[in-house]
Amino acid sequence: MSHPTRTDLSAWLDLWNHTDLPTAMWIDGEYRAARGGASAALVTPRDGGEIARLPLAAEADVDDAVRGARTVFEKGIWSKLPPRERGEVLLRWADLLEQHRDEIALLVSLEMGKPISDAWAIELRTTIGVIRWYGELADKLMDESPRGREGSVALVTREPLGVVAAITPWNFPMTLAIFKLPAALVAGNTVVLKPASQSPLSALRVAELAVQAGMPAGVLQVITGSGPVTGAALALHQDIATLTFTGSTEVGKQLLHYAGDSNAKPVWLELGGKSPNIIFPDAPDMAEAIRTAAWAISFNSGQMCTAGSRLVVHEDVRDQVVEGVVSHLRSLRMGDPLDPNTEFGPLASSRHRDDVLREVAKGIDSGATLVTGSADAPDRPGWFVDPVVFTNVDNSDRLAQHEIFGPVLSVISFRDEDEAVRIANDSDYGLGSAIWTADLSRAHRLSREIDAGLVWVNCFEEGDYSVPFGGRKLSGHGGDKSVHGLEKFTAFKTTWMKL
Ligand code: NAP
């Protein structure tokens, strides 16, 4: 299925009317409230209205979820299942998600404001695709036995770790959880997921579908609650074997402390970014470079770890590029995220909208030139911010160094290749980067010199399940997806046998 069958707003509103939103945690194969009964309202960025109440898990609830996952792990009903059978469960899970694609897309759109067309086409395509990819990989993994030893045999085998904790953000609520879960699960672990407070609905429903697909209850638990209480209790838990996280650099650093204060669990981090998008005058298709630069800061309303938030453009083409990008951004259809025609939705929360607008105001005060957009919110329901473009930005300015995580583009010009590389690398982050040039040697030179986990040449955000996704420096380490994404969810064991 490549297009949703619901093609207008009323069809999606009708689906919402007929959908029961999850209101409890998914533990041991059933929906459960927090022991103390605490809960918090979930409001939709669509219009700020309350759509559900979700439990606030305290330490005892986190303990229940981890204990349940540990018990199931030790029983071996998942961890010792032949890998092919685990893979078959994942494949059935992917099929079920395909069948429930509209419903899950609706939950994503409602919880964090993503335009429904993007939720359906992009978020769900990736979610289903990654699960399938790991499902198909399950029985194709091999262990090692090095040759050349007389009188003995060495086996290097991979084993599951136990209970994996995953803590994820709201900007791609499904994709970023699914970058982790199938890899951890196919390796034989059990998982406790804490999604962001803003976006628990899709994760809960998807975990429920995993049980329908044949995954034993307790293998995948989803707990809800705040980061500083629920997330911290999970990260500090002594029975978590490894912690995988996607979110802000600030919280990522805190998690390293939690690991040190508890059982020294490994912590895998996918963090923030301030990705440079470098345009040379010889870009093979300048119109495409310009269209993509606008996309790279406006897709998901700029709430992308890999957003091309630093447009590093050669001075000879700067005016042409800025004019084109501004024109694209002004033409975006802003609107109700549940309207399939909407291209640009609200930000995920009022607090985040206010933070972004504060950064725009600081940018204006810094002396940068505001070419389009405003430090005031547009007058419409939902937490919108008009796309913003600043020129006359120096790479040392806050606008170029601080991750804003909204539709705010800083244009920085350069004169030659060396300067472009210096600007690109002068950042605490090292996640995405792009180079637009027809010069093959230059493309190779820069892709080696740029200190980032991802380099795109004449494209942006290209990706596939078979290649890893991840960053360096304060953008984290230990990429997700592909066979490399699996490694962090296994422990290797060396066994020597004397013959
Ligand atoms: P965040 O504030 O760091 O939150 C991420 C997750 O951590 C949420 O589930 C949050 O729970 C939880 N959390 C917060 N404080 C915690 C604590 N003290 N202990 C344990 N867990 C805690 O990030 P966000 O605002 O959701 O997402 C935006 C950030 O994620 C940006 O910096 C973005 O660049 C980054 N990101 C990175 C990637 C990547 O792949 N590199 C991808 C997407 C996003 P609550 O929601 O309850 O606070």
Side-chain angles (χ1 to χ4, degrees):
M1 197 167 41
S2 57
H3 298 288
T5 47
R6 293 175 170 81
T7 52
D8 61 24
L9 174 61
S10 63
W12 287 100
L13 290 173
D14 184 57
L15 178 64
W16 182 11
N17 269 332
H18 292 92
T19 302
D20 292 327
L21 304 187
T23 54
M25 296 185 281
W26 184 252
I27 297 180
D28 296 345
E30 59 181 29
Y31 279 115
R32 257 194 229 170
R35 279 173 184 243
S39 67
L42 181 69
V43 295
T44 174
R46 188 174 169 255
D47 57 9
E50 178 173 329
I51 53 172
R53 289 195 73 81
L54 274 301
L56 290 169
E59 207 178 315
D61 302 297
V62 175
D63 211 33
D64 286 346
V66 176
R67 197 175 324 106
R70 180 79 212 169
T71 305
V72 171
F73 180 79
E74 281 168 2
K75 274 189 196 159
I77 53 174
W78 182 254
S79 56
K80 295 195 174 134
L81 210 59
R84 177 175 306 198
E85 290 178 33
R86 284 201 293 266
E88 282 165 359
V89 173
L90 262 61
L91 293 174
R92 285 199 295 274
W93 191 21
D95 289 346
L96 271 176
L97 282 171
E98 192 76 76
Q99 286 164 29
H100 290 266
R101 189 165 177 164
D102 283 11
E103 180 196 345
I104 309 295
L106 172 74
L107 298 182
V108 168
S109 183
L110 281 174
E111 64 195 356
M112 55 69 66
K114 192 185 300 279
I116 189 74
S117 301
D118 292 340
W120 195 94
I122 295 171
E123 184 102 22
L124 266 293
R125 180 190 63 209
T126 310
T127 299
I128 295 164
V130 174
I131 294 176
R132 262 197 197 125
W133 195 85
Y134 281 108
E136 287 164 359
L137 183 70
D139 61 352
K140 296 169 190 68
L141 297 160
M142 307 285 155
D143 286 328
E144 302 160 35
S145 178
R147 325 169 199 180
R149 300 288 306 193
E150 282 301 320
S152 61
V153 171
L155 298 174
V156 184
T157 49
R158 292 260 167 195
E159 298 181 346
L161 300 164
V163 185
V164 170
I167 301 181
T168 51
W170 43 260
N171 59 331
F172 291 87
M174 277 314 358
T175 308
L176 296 172
I178 294 299
F179 275 12
K180 304 175 185 306
L181 304 188
L185 293 166
V186 89
N189 302 287
T190 56
V191 178
V192 180
L193 167 68
K194 193 213 93 68
S197 302
Q198 183 62 50
S199 57
L201 301 177
S202 51
L204 288 161
R205 185 73 179 109
V206 165
E208 184 183 355
L209 291 175
V211 170
Q212 279 182 36
M215 197 177 288
V219 170
L220 174 56
Q221 319 268 53
V222 182
I223 53 174
T224 56
S226 82
V229 176
T230 313
L234 187 60
L236 281 162
H237 204 287
Q238 298 285 358
D239 223 357
I240 292 297
T242 201
L243 169 60
T244 172
F245 173 76
T246 300
S248 63
T249 296
E250 188 190 350
V251 173
K253 286 178 167 180
Q254 180 62 47
L255 297 180
L256 294 169
H257 285 288
Y258 291 151
D261 290 343
S262 53
N263 58 343
K265 56 182 76 65
V267 180
W268 304 94
L269 302 173
E270 295 283 353
L271 308 175
K274 196 77 188 177
S275 299
N277 184 15
I278 307 172
I279 303 185
F280 285 90
D282 67 344
D285 181 344
M286 190 56 82
E288 171 71 2
I290 290 171
R291 193 193 61 73
T292 306
W295 180 90
I297 194 64
S298 60
F299 180 65
N300 215 31
S301 300
Q303 303 165 119
M304 253 202 314
C305 51
T306 47
S309 51
R310 288 189 295 152
L311 183 56
V312 182
V313 56
H314 193 279
E315 59 184 10
D316 289 355
V317 287
R318 185 194 50 202
D319 292 351
Q320 175 196 356
V321 169
V322 169
E323 196 186 312
V325 167
V326 167
S327 155
H328 275 287
L329 292 174
R330 286 188 180 148
S331 72
L332 287 170
R333 279 192 301 268
M334 197 182 265
D336 187 335
L338 289 187
D339 183 338
N341 294 312
T342 293
E343 294 172 327
F344 185 89
L347 299 197
S349 69
S350 62
R351 199 186 56 167
H352 183 50
R353 191 264 318 262
D354 294 347
D355 287 347
V356 170
L357 291 176
R358 211 170 297 118
E359 292 299 329
V360 177
K362 281 185 195 164
I364 295 170
D365 290 346
S366 75
T369 307
L370 182 76
V371 187
T372 192
S374 163
D376 296 320
D379 184 20
R380 59 189 319 150
W383 300 310
F384 284 89
V385 170
D386 286 318
V388 171
V389 176
F390 280 108
T391 54
N392 293 324
V393 179
D394 188 89
N395 196 56
S396 60
D397 294 346
R398 182 177 170 87
L399 272 177
Q401 293 291 327
H402 177 77
E403 184 189 44
I404 299 174
F405 216 57
V408 181
L409 182 66
S410 295
V411 181
I412 303 150
S413 51
F414 69 90
R415 280 177 295 273
D416 58 35
E417 195 179 300
D418 287 349
E419 191 182 10
V421 173
R422 263 199 313 279
I423 291 169
N425 288 343
D426 176 19
S427 170
D428 289 338
Y429 297 108
L431 188 55
S433 61
I435 308 156
W436 297 82
T437 181
D439 180 336
L440 192 61
S441 297
R442 174 190 279 153
H444 277 288
R445 267 195 310 275
L446 262 69
S447 66
R448 289 178 185 191
E449 285 171 25
I450 289 176
D451 197 6
L454 304 158
V455 182
W456 294 293
V457 178
N458 298 324
C459 58
F460 202 95
E461 207 61 52
E462 195 66 42
D464 188 65
Y465 318 128
S466 56
V467 295
F469 174 95
R472 302 171 172 186
K473 302 198 270 183
L474 284 186
S475 294
H477 59 261
D480 286 330
K481 293 198 298 180
S482 80
V483 283
H484 303 290
L486 258 176
E487 282 163 21
K488 57 179 163 306
F489 300 121
T490 62
F492 64 75
K493 175 180 279 174
T494 304
T495 306
W496 280 104
M497 284 190 243
K498 198 162 168 56
L499 301 180

